[in-house]
């Protein structure tokens, strides 16, 4: 009998020992779910906000020097009305672009040959150009003015008789000068860029030059040794952004829409005032 009681007591002691030293008790279901949620939150990386989808990437051609529309500032940054307008419109519409400073004639050829998608370069909207390009609405209206070297005796178109007059190839100023050359009896000399044209007038090789008024006024303000005697073509010429005729309609539409938006929100006036006041 004593042996049996001793056996029962030994068995009970073993059970108690296993209960005390065995595996942990299973956590309650709620505790398990909370722990799993916390672990998942710790391990899972935070989701990044999705980037805005680009509406395409384009190559845009422009001039090299046509201040205040495109030029290099004192810090060697390419700036100007055209440069800033394009940046604002691209941001508004969500497209990307690469701006290539090629020179005016080269910029037009790049678009015509398909090497560039569009051009913004103080480009006058004319009927002749409409045969090769599709234009946006005007983003700037400019008239043509005549400039001469400081102290020059040339005061009007009549004083140009038998003289040489400088123009920049392909510009509205060149077209205007050619349209009155026979009437006033002067010879037209063409240059590929405005600074070289100005220097030719300042040194006296040519007696005058024709340029869009805001461009001439800006350069004289910046110290070019010239003055405007007063003769000016009263009509204004609109500048437009252009693409090759029949192509890149989506780019032209975005430029048009963006231009309307930045005019409405005041950004357009801010940009123009930055370079003309």
């Amino acid at each position: 009998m004593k042996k049996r009681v001793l056996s029962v007591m030994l068995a009970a002691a073993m059970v108690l020992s296993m209960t005390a030293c065995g595996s942990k008790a299973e956590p309650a279901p709620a505790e398990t779910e909370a722990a799993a949620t916390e672990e998942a939150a710790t391990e899972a990386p935070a989701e990044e906000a999705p980037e805005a989808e680009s509406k395409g990437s384009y190559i845009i051609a422009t001039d090299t020097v046509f201040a205040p529309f495109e030029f290099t500032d004192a810090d060697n940054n390419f700036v100007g009305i055209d440069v800033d307008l394009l940046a604002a419109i691209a941001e508004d519409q969500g497209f990307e672009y690469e701006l290539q400073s090629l020179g005016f004639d080269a910029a037009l050829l790049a678009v015509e040959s398909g090497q560039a998608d569009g051009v913004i370069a103080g480009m006058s909207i004319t009927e002749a150009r409409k045969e090769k390009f599709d234009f946006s609405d005007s983003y700037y209206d400019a008239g043509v003015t005549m400039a001469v070297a400081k102290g020059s005796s040339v005061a009007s178109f009549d004083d140009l008789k038998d003289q040489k007059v400088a123009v920049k190839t392909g510009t509205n100023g060149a077209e205007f000068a050619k349209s009155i050359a026979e009437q006033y009896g002067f010879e037209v000399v063409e240059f590929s860029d405005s600074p070289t044209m100005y220097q030719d007038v300042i040194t006296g090789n040519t007696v005058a030059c024709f340029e869009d008024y805001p461009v001439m006024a800006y350069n004289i303000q910046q110290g070019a040794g010239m003055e405007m005697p007063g003769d000016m073509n009263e009509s204004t010429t609109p500048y437009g952004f252009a693409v090759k005729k029949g192509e890149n309609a989506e780019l032209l539409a975005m430029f048009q829409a963006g231009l309307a938006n930045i005019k409405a929100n005041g950004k357009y006036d801010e940009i123009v005032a930055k370079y003309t006041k």
Side-chain angles (χ1 to χ4, degrees), residues 98-117:
E98 177 189 338
L99 188 61
Q100 295 186 353
S101 176
L102 305 176
F104 188 76
D105 289 341
L108 301 193
L109 288 173
V111 175
E112 287 186 72
S113 64
Q115 295 178 17
D117 301 301

Side-chain angles (χ1 to χ4, degrees), residues 48-149:
E48 296 182 2
E51 295 184 2
E53 184 178 351
S54 172
K55 294 182 180 178
S57 182
Y58 302 92
I59 295 175
I60 309 299
T62 189
D63 204 345
T64 50
V65 183
F66 192 57
F69 292 92
E70 42 265 336
F71 63 101
T72 303
D73 66 11
D75 296 322
N76 207 36
N77 298 313
F78 197 60
V79 297
I81 294 174
D82 287 351
V83 178
D84 289 8
L85 285 180
L86 179 61
I89 290 170
E91 181 179 4
D92 179 83
Q93 292 294 296
F95 66 86
E96 299 176 358
Y97 66 93
E98 177 189 338
L99 188 61
Q100 295 186 353
S101 176
L102 305 176
F104 188 76
D105 289 341
L108 301 193
L109 288 173
V111 175
E112 287 186 72
S113 64
Q115 295 178 17
D117 301 301
V119 55
I120 184 167
M123 182 178 179
S124 302
I125 302 173
T126 66
E127 292 304 316
R129 287 176 179 157
K130 285 181 179 179
E131 295 178 3
K132 297 180 179 180
F133 302 95
D134 290 326
F135 284 92
S136 67
D137 288 342
S138 171
Y139 65 83
Y140 195 96
D141 293 332
V144 171
T145 189
M146 180 178 75
V148 298

Side-chain angles (χ1 to χ4, degrees), residues 153-166:
S153 61
V154 175
S156 70
F157 293 163
D158 290 325
D159 296 326
L160 300 177
K161 185 175 176 60
D162 298 326
Q163 304 289 344
K164 291 182 179 181
V165 171

